[in-house]
Amino acid sequence: MASTSSLAISSKTSYDVFLSFRGIETRHIFTCHLHAALCRKNITTFIDDILERGEGISPALMKAIEESKISVVIFSENYASSRWCLDELVKIIDCEKKLGRKILPIFYHVDPCDVRNQTGKFGEAFGKVKENSKHSLDGVEKWRTALMEAGNLSGWVSSDSRPESQLCEEVADHILEKLYPISFTASTGLVGIDSHVDKIMSLLCIEPTNIRVIGIWGMGGIGKTTIAEILFSRICNQFDCFCFLRNVWE
């Protein structure tokens, strides 16, 4: 009975996203830009504003990981030099397996292969924390397994070929689609529908200072709602809030 009660409490969600990152390395650069992009899209995000200190992460932080739908792990060069980050990662992997939470890794100027195999400079950082760790061999092995599993996940690899702000927006858009998927099964595989949607797209002015109303007029059954559904699915992620009313008569 006790274990059932515990699972019921931990399975609830309070946050859309939990951000795991090496504070001294990315807090004031990439991480804060990503956090701002998520907030602009009204994605409820937990970010730990307390500088890392002490031997382990707090129960409140463990609870925040459990109650987040998606954990975004920002792997940077010195991520594995922090016992705090490694313990977070073990908890994140555990919640994926037991609660079905999602994990999205971002490899920030590190190679996913180095994370997976603990090689390169990333591996050197992990080697140092192993040497100085008071954890048992079992604890170190949990860190190693968590890094291997997270390194095998599909995510994003940052590069100098595109601005970080662009990557942040891309990640935020992807998370928004994961949280609120737009699925119109009746709108797929329709021959010739794209030309109608493109024509309406050309009439729109999607700018912050413009408001535009477009009416699609015609007899019943010719595909007005289908065109509107596809149009909506294409542009909804450009707005903070959106709603599609399929049957206004009701």
Side-chain angles (χ1 to χ4, degrees), residues 145-160:
T145 301
L147 289 169
M148 181 185 67
E149 292 182 11
N152 276 320
L153 295 173
S154 176
W156 293 267
V157 179
S158 70
S159 65
D160 296 327

Side-chain angles (χ1 to χ4, degrees), residues 180-188 229 233 246:
Y180 309 107
I182 306 299
S183 177
F184 299 117
T185 55
S187 306
T188 58
E229 286 179 343
S233 67
R246 285 180 175 81

Side-chain angles (χ1 to χ4, degrees), residues 37-224:
L38 293 169
C39 290
R40 283 195 296 272
K41 296 183 184 299
N42 292 325
I43 296 172
T44 307
T45 305
F46 182 93
I47 180 170
D48 180 26
D49 290 322
I50 301 175
L51 295 177
E52 297 167 20
R53 57 174 70 92
E55 290 296 318
I57 62 177
S58 68
L61 210 59
M62 290 284 196
K63 187 169 183 286
I65 294 172
E66 290 179 1
E67 296 182 359
S68 297
K69 299 174 185 175
I70 299 172
S71 286
V72 176
V73 184
I74 304 171
F75 288 112
S76 53
E77 191 174 283
N78 290 297
Y79 182 93
S81 69
S82 166
R83 293 190 295 272
W84 184 298
C85 290
L86 293 169
D87 286 340
E88 275 186 6
L89 184 62
V90 169
K91 180 65 176 178
I92 287 168
I93 295 289
D94 186 57
C95 288
E96 179 200 31
K97 294 177 179 177
K98 293 181 179 178
L99 300 175
R101 303 295 191 242
K102 304 298 182 184
I103 305 173
L104 296 176
I106 299 174
F107 302 96
Y108 185 72
H109 298 305
V110 295
D111 192 311
C113 185
D114 287 339
V115 174
R116 187 163 53 247
N117 300 317
Q118 299 91 59
T119 52
K121 291 185 177 180
F122 188 91
E124 291 175 10
F126 183 60
K128 291 177 182 177
V129 80
K130 283 195 302 180
E131 291 175 7
N132 300 326
S133 176
K134 299 176 183 177
H135 284 63
S136 64
L137 291 177
D138 181 59
V140 173
E141 190 57 34
K142 285 183 178 179
W143 290 345
R144 188 191 303 279
T145 301
L147 289 169
M148 181 185 67
E149 292 182 11
N152 276 320
L153 295 173
S154 176
W156 293 267
V157 179
S158 70
S159 65
D160 296 327
S161 61
R162 60 175 169 176
E164 289 186 1
S165 58
Q166 182 180 334
L167 175 58
C168 290
E169 289 297 326
E170 182 180 324
V171 173
D173 284 341
H174 178 82
I175 290 173
L176 192 65
E177 290 174 5
K178 287 286 185 183
L179 292 171
Y180 309 107
I182 306 299
S183 177
F184 299 117
T185 55
S187 306
T188 58
L190 299 178
V191 178
I193 196 72
D194 287 339
S195 61
H196 297 294
V197 175
D198 291 341
K199 185 174 182 179
I200 298 175
M201 284 284 287
S202 68
L203 301 174
L204 290 172
C205 290
I206 305 176
E207 297 176 9
T209 57
N210 283 310
I211 298 174
R212 180 158 292 194
V213 177
I214 292 182
I216 305 175
W217 180 83
M219 62 185 294
I222 63 172
K224 300 185 299 298

Side-chain angles (χ1 to χ4, degrees), residues 17-38:
V17 171
F18 178 92
L19 292 178
S20 177
F21 59 97
R22 184 72 166 105
I24 61 174
E25 196 168 28
T26 68
R27 180 186 301 275
H28 299 300
I29 44 176
F30 181 81
T31 299
C32 70
H33 295 315
L34 177 59
H35 182 236
L38 293 169

